[in-house]
Amino acid sequence: MDHELVTDSLAEFQRTRDAATMDALLGPAVSGSCGLVAVVDTEANEVVVANTGDSRALLGVRLGDGRWKAVRLSEDQTADNANETARMTREHPNETSVIHRGRVLGGLMPTRAFGDCRYKWPLDAQRDLFPTLYERGHRYATTPPNYTTPPYVTARPVIVRHKLGPNDKFVVVATDGLYDQLSDDEVVGSLGQWYDARSAGMEDNSLTTQDENAATHLVRAALSTDRLGRRDDTVIRRLLAIPPPHSRRFRDDISVQIITLN
């Protein structure tokens, strides 16, 4: 898919030079996105996770004493990941700024992503097309500093397989906005409390049980937690009242899916 977004679209536009198709062809290449897929194979009794970027998959495990344990099923692919930093250094030797200020060339946080052609296209293509794309409103159509040996970012996923056990109860698949607000243990603990309360028939209007949907519960938990870790439902109303683009300074986008295991 990334080859179609980044490489094929560039080749097609260079072939036609049709300005009417520029935004449709090249706009998705300029934008960027992470991708995370989790597949539960019931025949093999395992979950397979493929991750490109800094979204994260967690496994919720019920321990023998009733407590909940969080197990990561993916690695955040950022400069904080020593494996990713080592890979980037191997692929771009003698480039001291390949990871700068904790980001790829000082700009992009994920080391793997779909799109983000400013970290993938050849320099001559960027010089040819970025000025026009920028004028047309694509604000990421700018070349990073010290751009010498592209591509710097790949969409190739890291795949993890986990054999499921009887105490594995659910999988959380979520974007980094959830983990900006909650730790792994808080995510699994909060969702475990929700499952326990729902199983016991508790359906009051508390933060633990008011949502019928598990993913909605986690989004509410994230947005109702302030920077000191305190939970208050008024926090979510204040955060959601902030209009874009200013809201990005206070919260990231949050997407969550839950797989319940039987």
Side-chain angles (χ1 to χ4, degrees), residues 30 133-134 137-142:
V30 176
L133 283 166
Y134 191 86
H138 300 280
R139 62 190 181 96
Y140 292 114
T142 59

Tab-separated table of all heavy atoms in Angstrom, residues 30 133-134 137-142:
chain	number	residue	atom	x	y	z
A	30	VAL	N	2.029	13.031	0.826
A	30	VAL	CA	2.568	14.057	1.712
A	30	VAL	C	2.111	13.834	3.145
A	30	VAL	O	2.867	14.021	4.104
A	30	VAL	CB	2.150	15.458	1.226
A	30	VAL	CG1	2.636	16.535	2.202
A	30	VAL	CG2	2.710	15.723	-0.165
A	133	LEU	N	3.171	22.032	-4.137
A	133	LEU	CA	2.311	21.358	-3.172
A	133	LEU	C	2.107	22.212	-1.926
A	133	LEU	O	0.994	22.290	-1.384
A	133	LEU	CB	2.920	20.005	-2.787
A	133	LEU	CG	2.759	18.881	-3.813
A	133	LEU	CD1	3.687	17.717	-3.487
A	133	LEU	CD2	1.310	18.399	-3.860
A	134	TYR	N	3.163	22.864	-1.472
A	134	TYR	CA	3.049	23.721	-0.291
A	134	TYR	C	2.102	24.883	-0.570
A	134	TYR	O	1.253	25.230	0.269
A	134	TYR	CB	4.423	24.237	0.118
A	134	TYR	CG	4.441	24.920	1.470
A	134	TYR	CD1	4.605	24.183	2.628
A	134	TYR	CD2	4.278	26.295	1.578
A	134	TYR	CE1	4.615	24.791	3.872
A	134	TYR	CE2	4.285	26.918	2.822
A	134	TYR	CZ	4.447	26.159	3.965
A	134	TYR	OH	4.432	26.777	5.199
A	137	GLY	N	-1.518	24.117	-0.178
A	137	GLY	CA	-2.031	23.844	1.160
A	137	GLY	C	-1.487	22.614	1.840
A	137	GLY	O	-1.909	22.287	2.959
A	138	HIS	N	-0.547	21.919	1.218
A	138	HIS	CA	0.035	20.730	1.844
A	138	HIS	C	1.226	21.173	2.693
A	138	HIS	O	2.363	21.230	2.223
A	138	HIS	CB	0.451	19.727	0.777
A	138	HIS	CG	-0.682	19.262	-0.085
A	138	HIS	ND1	-1.573	18.278	0.314
A	138	HIS	CD2	-1.097	19.676	-1.313
A	138	HIS	CE1	-2.470	18.084	-0.643
A	138	HIS	NE2	-2.209	18.917	-1.631
A	139	ARG	N	0.971	21.474	3.951
A	139	ARG	CA	1.966	22.158	4.784
A	139	ARG	C	3.142	21.270	5.159
A	139	ARG	O	4.155	21.772	5.654
A	139	ARG	CB	1.308	22.729	6.039
A	139	ARG	CG	0.681	21.717	6.966
A	139	ARG	CD	-0.144	22.440	8.028
A	139	ARG	NE	-0.758	21.534	8.985
A	139	ARG	CZ	-0.240	21.238	10.169
A	139	ARG	NH1	0.915	21.786	10.517
A	139	ARG	NH2	-0.845	20.425	10.991
A	140	TYR	N	3.029	19.948	4.940
A	140	TYR	CA	4.160	19.076	5.226
A	140	TYR	C	5.041	18.861	3.996
A	140	TYR	O	5.978	18.045	4.045
A	140	TYR	CB	3.666	17.727	5.747
A	140	TYR	CG	3.022	17.824	7.112
A	140	TYR	CD1	1.666	17.569	7.295
A	140	TYR	CD2	3.776	18.191	8.228
A	140	TYR	CE1	1.075	17.676	8.547
A	140	TYR	CE2	3.194	18.299	9.478
A	140	TYR	CZ	1.848	18.045	9.628
A	140	TYR	OH	1.263	18.156	10.875
A	141	ALA	N	4.766	19.567	2.926
A	141	ALA	CA	5.585	19.440	1.715
A	141	ALA	C	6.837	20.305	1.847
A	141	ALA	O	7.025	21.301	1.143
A	141	ALA	CB	4.767	19.834	0.490
A	142	THR	N	7.691	19.935	2.771
A	142	THR	CA	8.962	20.622	3.006
A	142	THR	C	10.048	19.574	3.211
A	142	THR	O	9.791	18.498	3.772
A	142	THR	CB	8.893	21.535	4.241
A	142	THR	OG1	8.548	20.746	5.391
A	142	THR	CG2	7.850	22.642	4.057
